Amino acid sequence: MALVLVVDDQASNRDLVVTLLRYAGHQSLEAADGHMALALAREKVPDLVICDLLMPAMDGYEFVRQLRLEPTIAATKIIFYTATFMEQEASTLADACGVTHVLVKPCEPEEILRVVADALSSRQTATPALDMEDFDREHLRVLTNKLALKVEELEHTNHRMSALTDLSLQLASERDPYELLNKVCRGARELTGARRSVLAARYKNGTTTTHLATWGLTQDETTQLRAQLDLGAGLPGQVMEDGRSRRFSFEDGQTPLPPGFPAWQHGLLAPIVSLHHSYGWILLLDKLGDGPFSAQDLDLLAIHAAQAGRIYENGSLYKRVQHTAEQLALEIVERKAAAAELRVANETLELRVQERTAQLHEIIDGLESFTRSVSHDLRGPLGGIAGAARLARDFVAQQRHDKVDHFLEVIADQAEQSGRMVESLLHLARASDIALARQDIDATQVVQAALALLQAPGAALLPVQIEALPQIDADPDLAQQVFVNLIGNALKFTAGAGSMAAAATVVIGALKHTGAPVLFVRDQGVGFDASQAERLFKPFHRLHGAQFAGSGVGLSIVKRILDRHGGRVWAESSPGQGATFYVSFGPQAVAAGAGALPAGD
């Protein structure tokens, strides 16, 4: 039995590895960043460290370098476990640090256990002396190359999203449901780069006849397929029944096609379903370039097929597809903006090698709100789901029901976490997409409307006091969202302050000063450290952790709405003394001379 330190800024990733280590009979320690890990290593002297690379505060390379400088723990064995490992550049740094084992996420649980056993049984070789200047230069180059790869990934994703938007706009103009299915079939092939596509769906007239659409097949192949087609049989029937998309290959022995069909190697199947009915399926065969389909291809096809099922069922083609197109257009704008920021950051790093530490912190802060949720946070829960599902399958065969129940709970928790993150991202995105309709409105009516949304039916009236409020120039719906988020936060943190705050009241009022109106929401809740105020309005930054429910984007939405109005938001607080949030919708948030507003962030 060995003592293993697991270092990863994502709790879900640590949970998966710790679970596997316990399964193998090892003890474990956990750390969320390099600083915490270094302190634990000094105190506990672990036999092995499993370390992520890209982490806030101190990354994996810097952690290993600091560890190697301390004689008592310098010989500790290290495994890099990361989704960001790049063979040519990063292997140089790994070798320089004496790291010989690398796991790339996502990874099979069996492979993790094998590498851990191999690392523990191997003999630690002497660590070469580090040339600090060369190490810093190579360290910076690795992270710079990583940013470049992220830019390429975003550009590829933007291209796909643009194609999906164009397809959605085409579907929006199509009133014939069966011509719509033909376009869905062709669009699925174009979106994924497949050689052939087949769509089969039940007619909506109540008969058992099937509509068949194909692209990339000859007329004879289509005729042969139509003659032998059984919509609910075989692998396509299973996909329709369980409502889940699948990747498969010819080697699996499961073929969705009749005998005599032209040779193929790889395939995707997605069900055409609505909330209540299953209508058919879309089949894609062989990707251009002879490679297998990716998980992203599968997700894209699943989204496309689900969209087609809903449109096919309710017939509201234009309205539903237009809404989807607007969402996709917003995502494209945000992705392009993020790609542009990454490009600028990459160029800046190349020009200022000597300012390595300051530049890396700046770039990492800029990436957190987007790349962390897309390429890191989501990958972790999905990897956890895959790993836990495989372990659950093994324990089912062993009839170890307690273990099966545990891993099913892990799967459910990871799936719910992914869903909450995606929903939060969509709410944050919509705050930037809605067109502004500014008008002169009564702030009191806006606050009262927000309270009506927060008031639970049959519950006691919310402890909120509304003082005299002025007229404001703002979009009514967005202004209401601002106060829903601020008042909801105030009530939540006031309720969490304990019995002394049981009779506390949330106050909504306005400052008396010259210039644009400034409104405030004041509570008597738990408060926060004023030095951490700048983190309040960044997506997914939660000062109180999991102590209070929430997604971590409520205040980000408030800031985005006020930014669009040309106003601003700031906060004042101290721990245990409540908090006051100030908002201004006017273009001049600070007036010159007497009556100027207090400084905000």
Side-chain angles (χ1 to χ4, degrees):
M1 181 176 67
L3 179 62
V4 183
L5 173 58
V6 181
V7 189
D8 197 306
D9 60 326
Q10 295 303 305
S12 57
N13 293 342
R14 297 197 305 271
D15 290 343
L16 174 62
V17 177
V18 167
T19 300
L20 293 175
L21 291 173
R22 290 174 181 168
Y23 172 76
H26 301 301
Q27 294 181 335
S28 61
L29 301 170
E30 297 185 48
D33 58 46
H35 288 303
M36 185 185 303
L38 199 57
L40 280 175
R42 292 183 184 124
E43 178 184 356
K44 302 296 184 180
V45 190
D47 301 299
L48 174 67
V49 176
I50 302 176
C51 182
D52 191 13
L53 288 184
L54 288 185
M55 297 181 293
M58 179 187 291
D59 63 26
Y61 291 121
E62 183 65 20
F63 161 69
V64 175
R65 182 174 72 166
Q66 294 290 337
L67 183 142
R68 296 301 190 211
L69 294 177
E70 300 195 19
T72 57
I73 54 176
T76 304
K77 299 172 183 178
I78 308 290
I79 296 176
F80 279 154
Y81 180 47
T82 180
T84 64
F85 189 77
M86 295 169 289
E87 187 66 29
Q88 294 182 346
E89 297 92 342
S91 61
T92 302
L93 288 176
D95 292 341
C97 296
V99 177
T100 59
H101 295 82
V102 177
L103 288 168
V104 180
K105 302 174 185 175
C107 186
E108 297 288 343
E110 295 84 356
E111 178 65 10
I112 295 175
L113 294 175
R114 185 193 68 77
V115 173
V116 168
D118 184 51
L120 289 171
S121 63
S122 65
R123 183 177 181 181
Q124 178 70 36
T125 58
T127 303
L130 295 178
D131 185 318
M132 302 304 289
E133 183 177 350
D134 289 345
F135 183 90
D136 286 348
R137 186 181 299 109
E138 191 66 20
H139 187 187
L140 181 60
R141 183 179 296 112
V142 169
L143 293 181
T144 300
N145 290 344
K146 176 60 183 175
L147 292 176
L149 290 175
K150 285 297 179 184
V151 170
E152 293 178 2
E153 291 177 5
L154 286 171
E155 289 177 343
H156 178 66
T157 302
N158 285 341
H159 176 73
R160 282 193 163 189
M161 297 298 278
S162 296
L164 187 56
T165 300
D166 292 340
L167 177 59
S168 297
L169 292 174
Q170 293 178 28
L171 298 182
S173 62
E174 182 55 61
R175 303 300 178 182
D176 185 327
Y178 306 114
E179 183 59 30
L180 165 73
L181 293 178
N182 294 337
K183 291 184 177 181
V184 168
C185 180
R186 180 178 60 187
R189 179 190 177 203
E190 294 173 350
L191 286 173
T192 59
R195 295 181 182 275
R196 303 180 181 93
S197 62
V198 178
L199 182 149
R202 295 188 181 94
Y203 278 107
K204 295 171 60 179
N205 55 11
T207 66
T208 58
T209 54
T210 300
H211 178 83
L212 179 67
T214 64
W215 287 91
L217 274 65
T218 66
Q219 185 63 42
D220 290 341
E221 291 168 348
T222 300
T223 301
Q224 176 188 0
L225 181 61
R226 189 186 304 277
Q228 304 182 51
L229 181 66
D230 185 348
L231 185 66
L235 183 60
Q238 296 176 19
V239 168
M240 286 180 60
E241 182 176 354
D242 59 31
R244 293 187 300 173
S245 303
R246 294 190 187 181
R247 280 190 294 175
F248 57 93
S249 66
F250 184 80
E251 297 177 353
D252 296 337
Q254 291 183 305
T255 174
L257 298 169
F261 199 82
W264 57 276
Q265 294 296 323
H266 305 284
L268 294 178
L269 259 174
I272 300 176
V273 295
S274 67
L275 294 176
H276 307 291
H277 300 285
S278 179
Y279 292 102
W281 42 261
I282 303 176
L283 168 68
L284 302 180
L285 295 175
D286 290 338
K287 193 169 184 177
L288 295 174
D290 297 328
F293 291 101
S294 66
Q296 188 180 39
D297 294 326
L298 183 63
D299 292 340
L300 193 61
L301 179 62
I303 293 172
H304 185 54
Q307 176 189 9
R310 286 166 173 77
I311 296 174
Y312 185 60
E313 178 179 71
N314 59 36
S316 301
L317 300 178
Y318 180 78
K319 182 177 180 181
R320 186 173 286 267
V321 178
Q322 184 183 42
H323 178 66
T324 302
E326 290 173 354
Q327 290 182 319
L328 293 174
L330 173 61
E331 291 186 18
I332 291 171
V333 171
E334 290 189 342
R335 288 171 182 264
K336 286 181 177 179
E341 291 177 3
L342 286 173
R343 233 180 257 110
V344 172
N346 189 23
E347 295 170 357
T348 304
L349 284 171
E350 293 289 348
L351 296 175
R352 300 187 297 171
V353 175
Q354 300 302 321
E355 301 175 2
R356 175 181 60 85
T357 303
Q359 290 177 345
L360 288 177
H361 280 299
E362 179 182 351
I363 293 170
I364 290 172
D365 287 341
L367 290 172
E368 277 186 349
S369 64
F370 185 81
T371 56
R372 178 180 175 187
S373 60
V374 175
S375 66
H376 200 69
D377 291 69
L378 289 180
R379 181 175 295 174
L382 294 178
I385 291 172
R390 292 186 179 90
L391 288 174
R393 179 192 61 196
D394 294 342
F395 286 124
V396 168
Q398 301 171 20
Q399 294 187 352
R400 298 182 65 180
H401 300 297
D402 57 334
K403 294 290 186 179
V404 174
D405 291 341
H406 169 71
F407 284 108
L408 288 177
E409 291 179 0
V410 171
I411 291 171
D413 290 343
Q414 297 295 311
E416 291 176 0
Q417 178 184 349
S418 300
R420 287 193 298 269
M421 291 181 59
V422 171
E423 187 65 24
S424 296
L425 284 171
L426 289 176
H427 283 305
L428 184 60
R430 292 188 187 108
S432 296
D433 188 48
I434 300 174
L436 281 180
R438 298 186 71 144
Q439 55 185 277
D440 191 35
I441 55 178
D442 185 349
T444 300
Q445 294 181 359
V446 173
V447 171
Q448 289 173 343
L451 288 175
L453 294 176
L454 294 169
Q455 179 69 53
L461 291 177
L462 297 174
V464 176
Q465 175 184 336
I466 305 175
E467 298 180 350
L469 300 178
Q471 297 287 112
I472 57 174
D473 181 27
D475 182 294
D477 293 335
L478 294 180
Q480 177 177 301
Q481 185 64 54
V482 166
F483 286 102
V484 166
N485 290 8
L486 291 179
I487 298 172
N489 267 12
L491 293 170
K492 174 174 63 178
F493 290 110
T494 298
S499 59
M500 294 187 64
T505 299
V506 174
V507 178
I508 298 98
L511 296 182
K512 296 180 180 180
H513 73 102
T514 59
V518 174
L519 290 75
F520 64 81
V521 177
R522 178 177 296 125
D523 64 62
Q524 301 173 31
V526 296
F528 58 86
D529 187 348
S531 65
Q532 301 293 315
E534 63 180 14
R535 296 176 53 201
L536 286 172
F537 305 102
K538 293 182 179 180
F540 303 108
H541 283 262
R542 301 172 63 188
L543 299 186
H544 299 286
Q547 179 182 356
F548 295 92
S551 63
V553 299
L555 291 178
S556 301
I557 293 173
V558 169
K559 186 177 187 303
R560 189 161 294 187
I561 291 173
L562 291 169
D563 285 345
R564 295 192 62 204
H565 281 78
R568 67 186 182 101
V569 57
W570 69 98
E572 297 176 353
S573 180
S574 59
Q577 301 300 314
T580 302
F581 284 81
Y582 299 92
V583 295
S584 172
F585 292 88
Q588 298 295 330
V590 178
L597 303 184
D601 54 347

